[in-house]
Coordinates of all heavy atoms in Angstrom, one line a residue:
M1 N 15.8 11.2 1.2 CA 15.1 10.0 0.7 C 13.7 10.3 0.3 O 13.1 11.2 0.8 CB 15.2 8.9 1.8 CG 15.0 7.5 1.3 SD 15.4 6.3 2.5 CE 16.5 5.3 1.5
I2 N 13.1 9.5 -0.6 CA 11.8 9.7 -1.1 C 10.8 9.1 -0.1 O 11.0 8.0 0.5 CB 11.6 8.9 -2.4 CG1 12.7 9.4 -3.4 CG2 10.2 9.2 -3.0 CD1 12.8 10.8 -3.7
K3 N 9.7 9.8 0.1 CA 8.7 9.4 1.1 C 8.2 8.0 0.8 O 7.8 7.6 -0.3 CB 7.5 10.3 1.0 CG 6.5 10.1 2.1 CD 5.4 11.1 2.0 CE 4.4 10.8 3.1 NZ 3.2 11.7 3.0
G4 N 8.3 7.1 1.8 CA 7.8 5.7 1.7 C 8.9 4.7 1.3 O 8.7 3.5 1.5
V5 N 10.0 5.2 0.8 CA 11.1 4.3 0.4 C 11.8 3.9 1.6 O 12.4 4.7 2.4 CB 12.0 4.9 -0.6 CG1 13.2 4.0 -1.0 CG2 11.2 5.2 -1.9
V6 N 11.9 2.6 1.9 CA 12.6 2.0 3.0 C 14.1 1.7 2.7 O 14.9 2.0 3.5 CB 11.9 0.7 3.5 CG1 12.7 0.0 4.6 CG2 10.5 1.0 3.9
A7 N 14.3 1.2 1.5 CA 15.7 0.9 1.1 C 15.7 0.8 -0.5 O 14.7 0.6 -1.1 CB 16.1 -0.5 1.6
V8 N 17.0 1.0 -1.0 CA 17.2 0.9 -2.4 C 18.5 0.2 -2.6 O 19.4 0.4 -1.8 CB 17.2 2.3 -3.1 CG1 18.3 3.2 -2.5 CG2 17.2 2.2 -4.6
C9 N 18.6 -0.6 -3.7 CA 19.9 -1.3 -4.0 C 20.2 -1.2 -5.5 O 19.3 -1.0 -6.3 CB 19.8 -2.7 -3.5 SG 18.8 -3.8 -4.5
H10 N 21.4 -1.4 -5.8 CA 21.9 -1.4 -7.1 C 22.6 -2.8 -7.3 O 23.4 -3.2 -6.4 CB 22.9 -0.3 -7.3 CG 23.5 -0.2 -8.7 ND1 24.9 0.1 -8.9 CD2 23.0 -0.4 -9.9 CE1 25.1 0.1 -10.1 NE2 24.1 -0.2 -10.8
F11 N 22.4 -3.4 -8.5 CA 23.0 -4.7 -8.7 C 23.5 -4.7 -10.2 O 23.1 -4.0 -11.0 CB 22.0 -5.9 -8.5 CG 20.7 -5.8 -9.2 CD1 20.6 -6.4 -10.4 CD2 19.7 -5.0 -8.7 CE1 19.4 -6.3 -11.1 CE2 18.5 -5.0 -9.4 CZ 18.3 -5.6 -10.6
R12 N 24.5 -5.6 -10.4 CA 25.1 -5.8 -11.8 C 24.2 -6.7 -12.6 O 23.3 -7.3 -12.1 CB 26.5 -6.4 -11.7 CG 27.5 -5.5 -11.0 CD 28.9 -6.0 -11.1 NE 29.0 -7.5 -11.1 CZ 30.0 -8.1 -10.6 NH1 31.1 -7.5 -10.1 NH2 30.1 -9.4 -10.7
D13 N 24.5 -6.7 -13.9 CA 23.7 -7.6 -14.8 C 23.7 -9.0 -14.4 O 22.8 -9.8 -14.8 CB 24.2 -7.4 -16.2 CG 23.8 -6.1 -16.9 OD1 22.9 -5.4 -16.4 OD2 24.5 -5.6 -17.8
D14 N 24.8 -9.5 -13.7 CA 24.8 -10.9 -13.3 C 24.1 -11.1 -12.0 O 24.2 -12.2 -11.4 CB 26.3 -11.4 -13.3 CG 27.1 -10.7 -12.2 OD1 26.6 -9.8 -11.5 OD2 28.3 -11.0 -12.1
G15 N 23.6 -10.0 -11.4 CA 22.8 -10.2 -10.1 C 23.7 -9.8 -8.9 O 23.1 -9.8 -7.8
Q16 N 25.0 -9.6 -9.1 CA 25.8 -9.3 -7.9 C 25.4 -7.9 -7.3 O 25.3 -6.9 -8.0 CB 27.3 -9.2 -8.4 CG 28.3 -9.0 -7.3 CD 28.4 -10.2 -6.4 OE1 28.3 -11.4 -6.8 NE2 28.6 -10.0 -5.1
Y17 N 25.3 -8.0 -6.0 CA 25.0 -6.7 -5.3 C 26.1 -5.7 -5.4 O 27.3 -6.1 -5.1 CB 24.7 -7.1 -3.8 CG 24.6 -6.0 -2.8 CD1 23.5 -5.2 -2.8 CD2 25.5 -5.8 -1.8 CE1 23.3 -4.2 -1.9 CE2 25.4 -4.8 -0.9 CZ 24.3 -4.0 -0.9 OH 24.2 -3.0 0.0
V18 N 25.8 -4.5 -5.7 CA 26.8 -3.4 -5.8 C 26.8 -2.5 -4.6 O 27.8 -2.4 -3.9 CB 26.6 -2.6 -7.1 CG1 27.6 -1.4 -7.2 CG2 26.7 -3.5 -8.3
E19 N 25.6 -1.9 -4.3 CA 25.5 -1.1 -3.2 C 24.1 -0.9 -2.8 O 23.2 -1.2 -3.6 CB 26.1 0.3 -3.5 CG 25.4 1.1 -4.6 CD 26.1 2.4 -4.9 OE1 26.8 3.0 -4.0 OE2 25.9 2.8 -6.1
G20 N 23.8 -0.4 -1.6 CA 22.5 -0.2 -1.1 C 22.4 0.8 0.0 O 23.4 1.0 0.7
Y21 N 21.3 1.4 0.2 CA 21.1 2.4 1.2 C 19.7 2.2 1.8 O 18.8 1.8 1.1 CB 21.2 3.8 0.6 CG 22.5 4.0 -0.1 CD1 22.6 3.8 -1.5 CD2 23.6 4.4 0.6 CE1 23.8 4.1 -2.1 CE2 24.8 4.7 0.0 CZ 24.9 4.5 -1.4 OH 26.1 4.7 -2.0
G22 N 19.6 2.5 3.1 CA 18.3 2.4 3.7 C 18.3 1.7 5.1 O 19.4 1.5 5.6
A23 N 17.1 1.4 5.5 CA 16.9 0.9 6.9 C 17.0 -0.6 6.9 O 16.1 -1.3 7.5 CB 15.6 1.4 7.5
M24 N 18.0 -1.2 6.2 CA 18.2 -2.7 6.1 C 19.6 -3.0 6.2 O 20.5 -2.2 5.7 CB 17.6 -3.2 4.8 CG 16.1 -3.0 4.6 SD 15.6 -3.5 3.0 CE 15.5 -5.3 3.2
P25 N 20.0 -4.1 6.8 CA 21.4 -4.5 6.8 C 21.8 -4.9 5.4 O 21.0 -5.3 4.6 CB 21.5 -5.7 7.8 CG 20.1 -6.1 8.1 CD 19.2 -5.0 7.7
D26 N 23.1 -4.9 5.2 CA 23.7 -5.3 3.9 C 23.2 -6.7 3.4 O 23.0 -6.9 2.2 CB 25.2 -5.2 3.9 CG 25.7 -3.8 3.6 OD1 24.9 -3.0 3.1 OD2 26.9 -3.6 3.7
E27 N 23.1 -7.6 4.3 CA 22.6 -9.0 3.9 C 21.2 -8.9 3.3 O 21.0 -9.6 2.3 CB 22.6 -10.0 5.1 CG 23.9 -10.1 5.9 CD 24.1 -9.0 6.9 OE1 23.2 -8.7 7.7 OE2 25.2 -8.4 6.9
Q28 N 20.3 -8.1 3.9 CA 19.0 -8.0 3.3 C 19.0 -7.2 2.0 O 18.2 -7.5 1.1 CB 18.1 -7.4 4.3 CG 17.7 -8.3 5.5 CD 16.8 -7.6 6.5 OE1 16.7 -6.4 6.6 NE2 16.1 -8.5 7.3
L29 N 19.9 -6.2 1.9 CA 20.0 -5.5 0.7 C 20.5 -6.4 -0.5 O 20.1 -6.3 -1.6 CB 20.9 -4.2 0.8 CG 20.3 -3.1 1.7 CD1 21.3 -2.1 2.1 CD2 19.1 -2.5 1.0
A30 N 21.5 -7.2 -0.1 CA 22.0 -8.2 -1.1 C 20.9 -9.2 -1.5 O 20.8 -9.6 -2.7 CB 23.2 -8.9 -0.5
A31 N 20.0 -9.6 -0.6 CA 18.9 -10.5 -0.9 C 17.9 -9.8 -1.8 O 17.4 -10.4 -2.7 CB 18.3 -11.0 0.4
L32 N 17.7 -8.5 -1.5 CA 16.8 -7.7 -2.4 C 17.4 -7.6 -3.8 O 16.6 -7.8 -4.8 CB 16.6 -6.3 -1.8 CG 15.9 -5.3 -2.7 CD1 14.5 -5.7 -3.0 CD2 15.9 -3.9 -2.1
A33 N 18.7 -7.4 -3.9 CA 19.3 -7.4 -5.2 C 19.2 -8.7 -6.0 O 18.9 -8.8 -7.2 CB 20.8 -7.0 -5.1
S34 N 19.3 -9.8 -5.3 CA 19.2 -11.2 -5.9 C 17.8 -11.4 -6.3 O 17.5 -11.9 -7.4 CB 19.6 -12.2 -4.8 OG 19.4 -13.5 -5.4
F35 N 16.8 -11.1 -5.5 CA 15.4 -11.2 -5.8 C 15.1 -10.3 -7.1 O 14.4 -10.8 -8.0 CB 14.5 -10.8 -4.7 CG 13.0 -10.6 -5.1 CD1 12.2 -11.7 -5.3 CD2 12.5 -9.3 -5.2 CE1 10.9 -11.5 -5.7 CE2 11.2 -9.1 -5.6 CZ 10.4 -10.2 -5.8
A36 N 15.5 -9.1 -7.1 CA 15.2 -8.2 -8.2 C 15.8 -8.7 -9.5 O 15.2 -8.6 -10.5 CB 15.7 -6.8 -7.8
H37 N 17.0 -9.2 -9.4 CA 17.7 -9.7 -10.6 C 16.9 -10.9 -11.2 O 16.6 -11.0 -12.4 CB 19.1 -10.1 -10.3 CG 19.8 -10.8 -11.4 ND1 19.9 -12.2 -11.5 CD2 20.4 -10.4 -12.5 CE1 20.5 -12.5 -12.6 NE2 20.8 -11.4 -13.2
D38 N 16.6 -11.8 -10.3 CA 15.8 -13.0 -10.7 C 14.4 -12.6 -11.3 O 14.0 -13.1 -12.3 CB 15.6 -14.0 -9.6 CG 16.9 -14.6 -9.1 OD1 17.9 -14.5 -9.8 OD2 16.9 -15.3 -8.0
Y39 N 13.8 -11.7 -10.6 CA 12.4 -11.3 -11.1 C 12.5 -10.6 -12.4 O 11.7 -10.7 -13.3 CB 11.7 -10.4 -10.1 CG 10.2 -10.5 -10.2 CD1 9.5 -11.5 -9.6 CD2 9.6 -9.5 -10.9 CE1 8.1 -11.6 -9.8 CE2 8.2 -9.6 -11.1 CZ 7.5 -10.6 -10.5 OH 6.1 -10.6 -10.7
K40 N 13.6 -9.8 -12.6 CA 13.8 -9.0 -13.8 C 14.0 -10.0 -15.0 O 13.4 -9.8 -16.1 CB 15.1 -8.2 -13.7 CG 15.5 -7.5 -15.0 CD 16.8 -6.7 -14.8 CE 17.2 -6.0 -16.0 NZ 18.5 -5.3 -15.9
R41 N 14.7 -11.1 -14.8 CA 14.9 -12.1 -15.8 C 13.5 -12.8 -16.1 O 13.3 -13.1 -17.3 CB 15.9 -13.1 -15.4 CG 17.3 -12.4 -15.3 CD 18.4 -13.4 -15.0 NE 18.4 -14.5 -15.9 CZ 19.2 -14.7 -16.9 NH1 20.0 -13.7 -17.3 NH2 19.2 -15.8 -17.6
I42 N 12.7 -13.1 -15.1 CA 11.4 -13.7 -15.4 C 10.5 -12.7 -16.2 O 9.9 -13.2 -17.2 CB 10.7 -14.0 -14.0 CG1 11.4 -15.1 -13.3 CG2 9.2 -14.3 -14.3 CD1 11.0 -15.4 -11.9
V43 N 10.5 -11.5 -15.9 CA 9.7 -10.5 -16.6 C 10.2 -10.4 -18.0 O 9.4 -10.4 -19.0 CB 9.7 -9.1 -15.9 CG1 9.2 -8.0 -16.8 CG2 9.0 -9.2 -14.6
Q44 N 11.5 -10.4 -18.2 CA 12.1 -10.3 -19.6 C 11.7 -11.5 -20.4 O 11.3 -11.4 -21.6 CB 13.6 -10.2 -19.5 CG 14.3 -10.1 -20.9 CD 13.9 -8.9 -21.7 OE1 14.1 -7.8 -21.1 NE2 13.3 -9.0 -22.9
G45 N 11.7 -12.7 -19.8 CA 11.3 -13.9 -20.5 C 9.9 -13.9 -20.9 O 9.5 -14.3 -22.0
N46 N 9.0 -13.4 -20.0 CA 7.6 -13.3 -20.3 C 7.3 -12.3 -21.4 O 6.5 -12.6 -22.4 CB 6.8 -12.9 -19.1 CG 6.7 -14.1 -18.1 OD1 6.9 -15.2 -18.4 ND2 6.4 -13.7 -16.9
A47 N 8.0 -11.2 -21.4 CA 7.9 -10.2 -22.4 C 8.4 -10.7 -23.8 O 7.7 -10.5 -24.8 CB 8.7 -8.9 -22.1
D48 N 9.5 -11.5 -23.8 CA 10.0 -12.1 -25.0 C 9.0 -13.0 -25.6 O 8.7 -13.1 -26.8 CB 11.3 -12.8 -24.8 CG 12.5 -11.9 -24.5 OD1 12.4 -10.7 -24.8 OD2 13.5 -12.4 -24.0
Q49 N 8.3 -13.8 -24.8 CA 7.3 -14.8 -25.3 C 6.1 -14.1 -25.8 O 5.6 -14.4 -26.9 CB 6.9 -15.7 -24.1 CG 7.9 -16.8 -23.8 CD 7.5 -17.7 -22.7 OE1 6.5 -17.4 -22.0 NE2 8.2 -18.7 -22.5
L50 N 5.6 -13.0 -25.1 CA 4.5 -12.3 -25.6 C 4.8 -11.7 -27.0 O 4.0 -11.7 -27.9 CB 4.1 -11.1 -24.6 CG 3.4 -11.6 -23.4 CD1 3.3 -10.5 -22.4 CD2 2.0 -12.0 -23.7
S51 N 6.0 -11.1 -27.1 CA 6.4 -10.5 -28.4 C 6.5 -11.6 -29.5 O 6.0 -11.4 -30.6 CB 7.8 -9.9 -28.2 OG 8.2 -9.3 -29.4
M52 N 7.0 -12.7 -29.2 CA 7.2 -13.8 -30.2 C 5.8 -14.4 -30.6 O 5.6 -14.6 -31.8 CB 8.1 -14.9 -29.6 CG 8.4 -16.0 -30.6 SD 9.5 -17.2 -29.9 CE 8.7 -17.9 -28.5
Y53 N 5.0 -14.7 -29.6 CA 3.7 -15.4 -29.9 C 2.6 -14.4 -30.5 O 1.8 -14.9 -31.3 CB 3.2 -16.1 -28.7 CG 4.0 -17.3 -28.3 CD1 4.5 -17.4 -27.0 CD2 4.4 -18.2 -29.2 CE1 5.3 -18.5 -26.6 CE2 5.2 -19.3 -28.8 CZ 5.6 -19.4 -27.5 OH 6.4 -20.4 -27.2
T54 N 2.7 -13.2 -30.1 CA 1.7 -12.3 -30.7 C 2.1 -11.6 -31.9 O 1.2 -11.1 -32.7 CB 1.3 -11.2 -29.6 OG1 2.5 -10.3 -29.4 CG2 0.8 -11.8 -28.3
G55 N 3.4 -11.5 -32.2 CA 3.9 -10.7 -33.3 C 3.7 -9.2 -33.2 O 3.8 -8.5 -34.2
I56 N 3.3 -8.8 -32.0 CA 3.1 -7.3 -31.8 C 4.4 -6.7 -31.2 O 4.9 -7.3 -30.2 CB 1.9 -7.1 -30.8 CG1 0.6 -7.7 -31.4 CG2 1.7 -5.7 -30.5 CD1 -0.5 -7.7 -30.5
N57 N 4.8 -5.6 -31.8 CA 6.0 -4.9 -31.2 C 5.6 -4.2 -30.0 O 4.5 -3.8 -29.7 CB 6.5 -4.0 -32.3 CG 7.1 -4.7 -33.5 OD1 7.7 -5.8 -33.3 ND2 7.0 -4.0 -34.6
G58 N 6.6 -3.9 -29.2 CA 6.4 -3.0 -28.0 C 6.5 -3.7 -26.7 O 6.4 -3.1 -25.6
W59 N 6.5 -5.1 -26.7 CA 6.5 -5.8 -25.4 C 7.9 -5.7 -24.7 O 8.0 -5.8 -23.5 CB 6.2 -7.3 -25.6 CG 4.8 -7.5 -26.0 CD1 4.4 -7.9 -27.2 CD2 3.6 -7.5 -25.2 NE1 3.0 -8.1 -27.2 CE2 2.5 -7.8 -26.0 CE3 3.4 -7.2 -23.8 CZ2 1.2 -7.9 -25.5 CZ3 2.1 -7.2 -23.3 CH2 1.1 -7.6 -24.1
T60 N 8.9 -5.6 -25.6 CA 10.3 -5.6 -25.0 C 11.0 -4.3 -25.5 O 10.7 -3.8 -26.5 CB 11.1 -6.8 -25.5 OG1 11.2 -6.8 -26.9 CG2 10.5 -8.1 -25.1
P61 N 12.0 -3.9 -24.7 CA 12.3 -4.4 -23.4 C 11.3 -3.9 -22.3 O 10.8 -2.8 -22.5 CB 13.7 -3.8 -23.1 CG 13.7 -2.6 -23.9 CD 12.9 -2.8 -25.1
P62 N 11.1 -4.6 -21.3 CA 10.2 -4.1 -20.2 C 10.8 -2.9 -19.5 O 12.0 -2.9 -19.3 CB 10.0 -5.3 -19.3 CG 11.0 -6.3 -19.7 CD 11.6 -6.0 -21.0
G63 N 10.0 -1.9 -19.2 CA 10.6 -0.7 -18.6 C 10.8 -0.9 -17.1 O 11.6 -0.1 -16.5
G64 N 10.3 -1.9 -16.5 CA 10.4 -2.1 -15.0 C 9.3 -3.0 -14.6 O 8.5 -3.5 -15.4
W65 N 9.2 -3.1 -13.3 CA 8.2 -4.0 -12.7 C 7.9 -3.6 -11.2 O 8.7 -2.9 -10.6 CB 8.5 -5.5 -12.8 CG 9.8 -5.8 -12.3 CD1 11.0 -5.9 -13.0 CD2 10.2 -6.1 -10.9 NE1 12.0 -6.3 -12.1 CE2 11.6 -6.4 -10.9 CE3 9.5 -6.2 -9.7 CZ2 12.2 -6.7 -9.7 CZ3 10.1 -6.5 -8.5 CH2 11.5 -6.8 -8.5
I66 N 6.7 -4.0 -10.7 CA 6.3 -3.7 -9.3 C 5.7 -5.0 -8.8 O 4.8 -5.6 -9.5 CB 5.4 -2.6 -9.2 CG1 6.0 -1.3 -9.7 CG2 4.8 -2.5 -7.8 CD1 5.0 -0.1 -9.8
V67 N 6.1 -5.4 -7.7 CA 5.5 -6.5 -7.0 C 4.9 -5.9 -5.7 O 5.6 -5.4 -4.9 CB 6.4 -7.7 -6.6 CG1 5.7 -8.7 -5.8 CG2 7.0 -8.3 -7.8
R68 N 3.5 -6.0 -5.6 CA 2.8 -5.3 -4.5 C 2.4 -6.3 -3.5 O 1.7 -7.3 -3.8 CB 1.6 -4.5 -5.1 CG 0.9 -3.7 -4.0 CD -0.1 -2.8 -4.7 NE -0.9 -2.1 -3.7 CZ -0.6 -0.9 -3.2 NH1 0.5 -0.3 -3.6 NH2 -1.4 -0.4 -2.3
G69 N 2.8 -6.1 -2.2 CA 2.4 -6.9 -1.1 C 1.4 -6.2 -0.3 O 1.0 -5.0 -0.6
A70 N 1.0 -6.8 0.8 CA 0.0 -6.2 1.7 C 0.4 -4.9 2.3 O -0.3 -3.9 2.4 CB -0.4 -7.2 2.8
G71 N 1.7 -4.8 2.7 CA 2.2 -3.6 3.4 C 3.3 -2.9 2.6 O 3.5 -1.7 2.8
M72 N 4.0 -3.6 1.8 CA 5.1 -3.1 1.1 C 5.2 -3.6 -0.3 O 4.6 -4.6 -0.6 CB 6.4 -3.4 1.8 CG 6.6 -2.8 3.2 SD 8.2 -3.1 3.8 CE 8.3 -1.9 5.1
S73 N 5.8 -2.8 -1.2 CA 6.0 -3.2 -2.6 C 7.5 -3.1 -2.9 O 8.2 -2.4 -2.3 CB 5.2 -2.3 -3.5 OG 3.8 -2.4 -3.2
V74 N 7.9 -3.9 -3.9 CA 9.2 -3.8 -4.5 C 9.1 -3.3 -5.9 O 8.3 -3.8 -6.7 CB 9.9 -5.2 -4.5 CG1 11.3 -5.1 -5.2 CG2 10.0 -5.8 -3.2
C75 N 9.8 -2.2 -6.2 CA 9.8 -1.6 -7.5 C 11.2 -1.7 -8.1 O 12.2 -1.6 -7.4 CB 9.5 -0.1 -7.4 SG 8.0 0.3 -6.7
S76 N 11.3 -2.0 -9.4 CA 12.6 -2.1 -10.0 C 12.6 -1.5 -11.4 O 11.6 -1.7 -12.2 CB 13.0 -3.5 -10.1 OG 14.3 -3.7 -10.6
V77 N 13.6 -0.8 -11.8 CA 13.9 -0.3 -13.1 C 15.3 -0.5 -13.4 O 16.2 -0.2 -12.6 CB 13.5 1.2 -13.3 CG1 14.0 1.7 -14.6 CG2 12.0 1.4 -13.0
A78 N 15.7 -1.1 -14.5 CA 17.0 -1.4 -14.9 C 17.7 -2.3 -13.8 O 17.1 -3.3 -13.4 CB 17.8 -0.2 -15.2
N79 N 18.8 -1.8 -13.3 CA 19.5 -2.6 -12.2 C 19.4 -1.9 -10.8 O 20.3 -2.0 -10.0 CB 21.0 -2.8 -12.6 CG 21.1 -3.7 -13.7 OD1 20.2 -4.3 -14.2 ND2 22.4 -3.9 -14.1
L80 N 18.2 -1.3 -10.6 CA 17.9 -0.6 -9.3 C 16.6 -1.2 -8.8 O 15.7 -1.5 -9.6 CB 17.7 0.9 -9.5 CG 18.9 1.7 -10.0 CD1 18.4 3.1 -10.4 CD2 20.0 1.7 -9.0
A81 N 16.6 -1.4 -7.5 CA 15.3 -1.9 -6.9 C 15.2 -1.2 -5.6 O 16.1 -0.8 -4.9 CB 15.4 -3.4 -6.7
C82 N 13.9 -1.0 -5.2 CA 13.6 -0.4 -3.9 C 12.4 -1.0 -3.2 O 11.5 -1.6 -3.9 CB 13.5 1.1 -4.0 SG 12.1 1.7 -4.9
I83 N 12.4 -0.9 -1.9 CA 11.2 -1.4 -1.2 C 10.5 -0.1 -0.7 O 11.1 0.8 -0.2 CB 11.6 -2.2 0.1 CG1 12.3 -3.5 -0.4 CG2 10.4 -2.5 1.0 CD1 12.8 -4.4 0.7
V84 N 9.1 -0.1 -0.9 CA 8.3 1.1 -0.6 C 7.2 0.7 0.3 O 6.5 -0.4 0.0 CB 7.7 1.7 -1.9 CG1 6.9 2.9 -1.7 CG2 8.8 1.9 -2.9
E85 N 6.9 1.5 1.3 CA 5.8 1.2 2.2 C 4.5 1.7 1.4 O 4.5 2.8 0.9 CB 5.9 2.1 3.5 CG 7.0 1.6 4.4 CD 7.2 2.4 5.6 OE1 6.9 3.6 5.6 OE2 7.6 1.9 6.6
N86 N 3.5 0.8 1.3 CA 2.3 1.1 0.5 C 1.6 2.3 1.1 O 1.0 3.1 0.3 CB 1.4 -0.1 0.4 CG 2.0 -1.2 -0.4 OD1 2.9 -0.9 -1.2 ND2 1.6 -2.4 -0.2
Q87 N 1.5 2.5 2.4 CA 0.7 3.5 3.0 C 1.2 4.9 2.7 O 0.5 5.8 2.5 CB 0.6 3.3 4.5 CG -0.3 2.2 4.9 CD -1.8 2.5 4.7 OE1 -2.2 2.9 3.7 NE2 -2.6 2.3 5.8
S88 N 2.6 5.0 2.7 CA 3.1 6.4 2.6 C 3.8 6.7 1.3 O 4.2 7.8 1.0 CB 4.1 6.6 3.8 OG 5.1 5.6 3.8
G89 N 4.1 5.6 0.5 CA 4.8 5.8 -0.7 C 3.9 6.0 -1.9 O 2.7 5.5 -1.9
N90 N 4.4 6.6 -3.0 CA 3.6 6.8 -4.2 C 4.4 6.0 -5.3 O 5.5 6.4 -5.7 CB 3.6 8.3 -4.6 CG 2.9 8.6 -5.9 OD1 2.9 7.8 -6.8 ND2 2.2 9.7 -5.9
L91 N 3.9 4.9 -5.7 CA 4.6 4.0 -6.6 C 4.9 4.6 -8.0 O 5.9 4.4 -8.6 CB 3.8 2.7 -6.8 CG 3.7 1.8 -5.6 CD1 2.9 0.6 -5.8 CD2 5.1 1.4 -5.1
T92 N 4.0 5.5 -8.4 CA 4.2 6.2 -9.7 C 5.4 7.1 -9.6 O 6.3 7.1 -10.5 CB 2.9 7.0 -10.1 OG1 1.8 6.1 -10.2 CG2 3.1 7.8 -11.4
E93 N 5.5 7.9 -8.5 CA 6.6 8.8 -8.3 C 7.9 8.0 -8.1 O 9.0 8.3 -8.7 CB 6.4 9.6 -7.0 CG 7.5 10.6 -6.7 CD 7.7 11.7 -7.7 OE1 6.8 11.9 -8.6 OE2 8.7 12.4 -7.7
V94 N 7.9 6.9 -7.4 CA 9.1 6.1 -7.1 C 9.6 5.5 -8.5 O 10.8 5.6 -8.8 CB 8.8 5.0 -6.1 CG1 9.9 4.0 -6.1 CG2 8.6 5.6 -4.7
T95 N 8.7 5.0 -9.3 CA 9.1 4.4 -10.5 C 9.6 5.5 -11.5 O 10.6 5.2 -12.2 CB 7.9 3.7 -11.2 OG1 7.3 2.7 -10.3 CG2 8.2 3.0 -12.5
R96 N 9.0 6.6 -11.5 CA 9.5 7.7 -12.3 C 11.0 8.1 -11.9 O 11.8 8.3 -12.7 CB 8.6 9.0 -12.2 CG 9.0 10.1 -13.1 CD 8.2 11.4 -12.8 NE 8.5 12.0 -11.5 CZ 9.6 12.6 -11.2 NH1 10.6 12.8 -12.1 NH2 9.8 13.1 -10.0
L97 N 11.2 8.2 -10.6 CA 12.5 8.5 -10.1 C 13.5 7.4 -10.4 O 14.7 7.7 -10.7 CB 12.5 8.9 -8.6 CG 11.8 10.2 -8.3 CD1 11.6 10.3 -6.8 CD2 12.6 11.4 -8.8
L98 N 13.1 6.2 -10.2 CA 14.0 5.0 -10.6 C 14.4 5.1 -12.1 O 15.6 4.9 -12.4 CB 13.4 3.7 -10.3 CG 13.3 3.3 -8.8 CD1 12.5 2.0 -8.7 CD2 14.7 3.1 -8.3
N99 N 13.4 5.4 -12.9 CA 13.7 5.6 -14.3 C 14.7 6.7 -14.6 O 15.7 6.5 -15.4 CB 12.4 5.9 -15.1 CG 11.9 4.9 -16.0 OD1 12.7 4.3 -16.7 ND2 10.7 4.6 -15.9
E100 N 14.6 7.8 -13.9 CA 15.5 8.9 -14.1 C 16.9 8.5 -13.6 O 17.9 8.8 -14.3 CB 15.0 10.1 -13.3 CG 15.8 11.3 -13.4 CD 15.2 12.5 -12.6 OE1 14.0 12.7 -12.6 OE2 16.0 13.2 -12.0
V101 N 17.0 7.9 -12.4 CA 18.3 7.6 -11.9 C 19.0 6.5 -12.7 O 20.2 6.5 -12.8 CB 18.2 7.1 -10.4 CG1 19.5 6.6 -9.8 CG2 17.7 8.3 -9.5
A102 N 18.2 5.6 -13.2 CA 18.8 4.5 -14.0 C 19.5 4.9 -15.3 O 20.3 4.3 -15.8 CB 17.7 3.5 -14.4
R103 N 19.2 6.1 -15.7 CA 19.8 6.7 -16.9 C 21.1 7.4 -16.7 O 21.7 7.8 -17.6 CB 18.8 7.7 -17.6 CG 17.5 7.0 -18.0 CD 16.6 8.0 -18.7 NE 15.2 7.5 -18.8 CZ 14.8 6.6 -19.7 NH1 15.7 6.1 -20.6 NH2 13.6 6.2 -19.8
Y104 N 21.5 7.5 -15.4 CA 22.8 8.2 -15.1 C 24.0 7.4 -15.6 O 24.1 6.3 -15.6 CB 23.0 8.5 -13.7 CG 22.0 9.5 -13.0 CD1 21.8 9.5 -11.7 CD2 21.4 10.4 -13.8 CE1 21.0 10.4 -11.1 CE2 20.5 11.3 -13.2 CZ 20.3 11.3 -11.9 OH 19.5 12.2 -11.3

């Protein structure tokens, strides 16, 4: 496992939880998948609006997103999401690896 990563999950395009690994029960991993799916749709909607209203290319598709909390952050790329401890994790490295794995 990557340093600082507590859990990772995979979800379908409709938000259905597929699988997850880490120090969380399946119910919490499914909740992470649901949150990540919903947030992904919000980010996509915002990117679409920015593209439409500014007329500038490059806003879409978003490459991923990070929500940073006081102690932990949620990172997501494509249909993968993970929870990272801020103190011990490197968000740049985690996002790079999510990008790589999402291409499999």
